C-alpha cells in the first residue's frame, strides 16, 4: 500500500493505533511506518501509536491523545484545574486518572502522567470537545477532589492556600452538595477535612 492510500484513510485522525491500521488494511507491512517516519510524514508517539508530523499541538489535542494512549482514563488533577481556571499556573504535563497502574509516557507531543485510583473512584467525568476530538474530563468537583486525594502532602488550610485556588471561579463551577457527596466516596478523613475547608472558603466569599 502506498502513502497516499494511507493518508486518505487516516488523515482526519490525531492518533493512529497500529491495530486500527491492520483492521483497515490487513496486509499492511508495518515496515512502511518506519519508512514514513524517516521521510518525516509520521511520528511515533509511543509503541504502536502514531501521529502526523507538524500537526499543531493544542490543549484539546493533547487531552484527546491522553485518552487514546491509555484506556480507562480521564483528564483530571492539575490539567483539569487549569482547564477550569481554578489555578493560575500553566501546566506543562497532561495529568490523568486511571484504573490501571500509575505510569508515564514521555513523547514527542509532551509528557503524559497517569495516576492510579481504585475502580470505585473512577466516576465524575464527562465527554468534552467536538466529534473529532472528544475526550473525557473530570467534572469540576471531581478534579478538585482527585487533586486532594492524590496529593497526601495536602493536609490543612495552609496547604489549601498554597494551591492559590481561584475561589470565585470555583464557586461558579462547583456546588457544596456535590463536593460533599463526592468527598464521601473517597472514605478518607483527610479529603473530607480539606473539602470542608474549601466549602467554608466558598461560603465566606
Amino acid at each position: 500500500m502506498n502513502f497516499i492510500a494511507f493518508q486518505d484513510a487516516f488523515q482526519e485522525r490525531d492518533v493512529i493505533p497500529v491495530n486500527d491500521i491492520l483492521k483497515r488494511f490487513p496486509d499492511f507491512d508495518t515496515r512502511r511506518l518506519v519508512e514514513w517516519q524517516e521521510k518525516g510524514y509520521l511520528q511515533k508517539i509511543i509503541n504502536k501509536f502514531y501521529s502526523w508530523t507538524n500537526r499543531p499541538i493544542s490543549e484539546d489535542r493533547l487531552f484527546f491523545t491522553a485518552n487514546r494512549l491509555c484506556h480507562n482514563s480521564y483528564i483530571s488533577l492539575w490539567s483539569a484545574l487549569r482547564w477550569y481556571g481554578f489555578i493560575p499556573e500553566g501546566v506543562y504535563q497532561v495529568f490523568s486518572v486511571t484504573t490501571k497502574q500509575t505510569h508515564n509516557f514521555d513523547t514527542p507531543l509532551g509528557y503524559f502522567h497517569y495516576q492510579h485510583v481504585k475502580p470505585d473512584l473512577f466516576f465524575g467525568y464527562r465527554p468534552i470537545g467536538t466529534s473529532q476530538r472528544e475526550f473525557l474530563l473530570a467534572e469540576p468537583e471531581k478534579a478538585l477532589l482527585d487533586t486532594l486525594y492524590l496529593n497526601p502532602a495536602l493536609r490543612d488550610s495552609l496547604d489549601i492556600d498554597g494551591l492559590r485556588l481561584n475561589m470565585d471561579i470555583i464557586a461558579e463551577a462547583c456546588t457544596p452538595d456535590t463536593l460533599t457527596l463526592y468527598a464521601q466516596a473517597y472514605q478518607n478523613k483527610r479529603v473530607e477535612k480539606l473539602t470542608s475547608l474549601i466549602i467554608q472558603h466558598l461560603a465566606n466569599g
Side-chain angles (χ1 to χ4, degrees):
M1 184 188 66
N2 62 35
F3 180 74
I4 298 300
F6 178 88
Q7 185 178 41
D8 287 344
F10 295 105
Q11 62 183 341
E12 300 300 325
R13 303 278 290 275
D14 283 318
V15 180
I16 310 168
V18 171
N19 284 343
D20 287 2
I21 299 172
L22 295 176
K23 285 178 184 177
R24 182 70 178 270
F25 303 106
D27 297 327
F28 180 76
D29 185 346
T30 56
R31 288 177 297 182
R32 298 284 80 76
L33 296 172
V34 177
E35 174 187 327
W36 295 337
Q37 284 181 82
E38 292 173 349
K39 291 183 176 180
Y41 301 157
L42 295 176
Q43 61 182 346
K44 181 163 72 172
I45 307 174
I46 61 172
N47 192 34
K48 297 184 178 180
F49 288 88
Y50 292 80
S51 185
W52 301 105
T53 304
N54 298 326
R55 181 165 291 185
I57 296 176
S58 60
E59 191 171 48
D60 64 327
R61 181 187 175 192
L62 291 174
F63 288 1
F64 175 87
T65 301
N67 277 188
R68 295 305 179 277
L69 297 183
C70 178
H71 294 295
N72 295 334
S73 72
Y74 62 87
I75 304 298
S76 189
L77 304 166
W78 311 111
S79 293
L81 295 185
R82 178 58 183 168
W83 174 274
Y84 290 120
F86 291 177
I87 56 175
E89 296 85 0
V91 178
Y92 302 103
Q93 302 177 24
V94 179
F95 291 88
S96 300
V97 162
T98 180
T99 54
K100 297 183 178 181
Q101 291 183 341
T102 295
H103 61 284
N104 307 299
F105 294 130
D106 191 359
T107 81
L109 300 180
Y111 192 83
F112 297 87
H113 177 76
Y114 300 86
Q115 185 72 42
H116 168 77
V117 295
K118 58 187 179 180
D120 289 349
L121 296 180
F122 197 78
F123 69 91
Y125 56 88
R126 60 192 178 194
I128 296 289
T130 66
S131 58
Q132 290 185 340
R133 279 187 183 163
E134 187 175 84
F135 53 88
L136 299 178
L137 177 72
E139 296 170 0
E141 295 89 349
K142 191 58 163 52
L144 272 172
L145 291 167
D146 282 344
T147 303
L148 300 179
Y149 177 66
L150 293 171
N151 289 276
L154 300 175
R155 307 202 65 86
D156 54 33
S157 58
L158 288 177
D159 295 325
I160 294 296
D161 291 341
L163 294 177
R164 300 174 63 204
L165 297 172
N166 189 322
M167 292 296 177
D168 291 337
I169 294 179
I170 291 174
E172 295 176 1
C174 299
T175 66
D177 287 347
T178 302
L179 284 169
T180 301
L181 179 64
Y182 282 7
Q184 292 170 353
Y186 289 84
Q187 299 182 0
N188 183 295
K189 291 190 180 300
R190 181 182 60 82
V191 170
E192 292 181 8
K193 172 188 173 183
L194 293 174
T195 302
S196 295
L197 290 173
I198 290 175
I199 291 173
Q200 289 174 22
H201 275 289
L202 299 180
N204 294 333

